Amino acid sequence: GDENSNSDSLKDPYAVLGISRKASSGEIKNAYRQLVNQYHPDKVSYLGVEFRELAEKRFREINKAYQELTSK
């Protein structure tokens, strides 16, 4: 069923990590590390609750994308 076709759970993991589909596992790892550093909830806590919640959502997306790409 595609009942959640309009939710973010179907985001392209390559797009989430901002890399090309030809990216090597090393490039995937580097992109992931950079984004995790950027969006880590602890790093943005000083910016306020709203931003922190956004960062947490993005953080989860990034982790999910990375797992999808590395579990193949």
Side-chain angles (χ1 to χ4, degrees), residues 15-61:
V16 171
L17 296 177
I19 51 177
S20 96
R21 298 191 164 276
K22 299 187 192 76
S24 68
S25 56
E27 288 172 309
I28 291 169
K29 200 172 284 178
N30 285 342
Y32 169 73
R33 279 211 199 103
Q34 246 178 324
L35 287 165
V36 161
N37 275 331
Q38 210 175 328
Y39 287 99
H40 199 286
D42 291 346
K43 296 238 170 158
V44 299
S45 54
Y46 68 94
L47 290 170
V49 174
E50 203 175 320
F51 200 97
R52 193 193 165 104
E53 281 171 6
L54 242 135
E56 277 174 11
K57 183 171 183 256
R58 185 88 169 93
F59 193 67
R60 284 194 298 272
E61 276 176 6

Side-chain angles (χ1 to χ4, degrees), residues 4-15:
N4 61 355
S5 58
N6 59 355
S7 88
D8 336 84
S9 62
L10 295 177
K11 278 196 177 162
D12 177 17
Y14 290 95

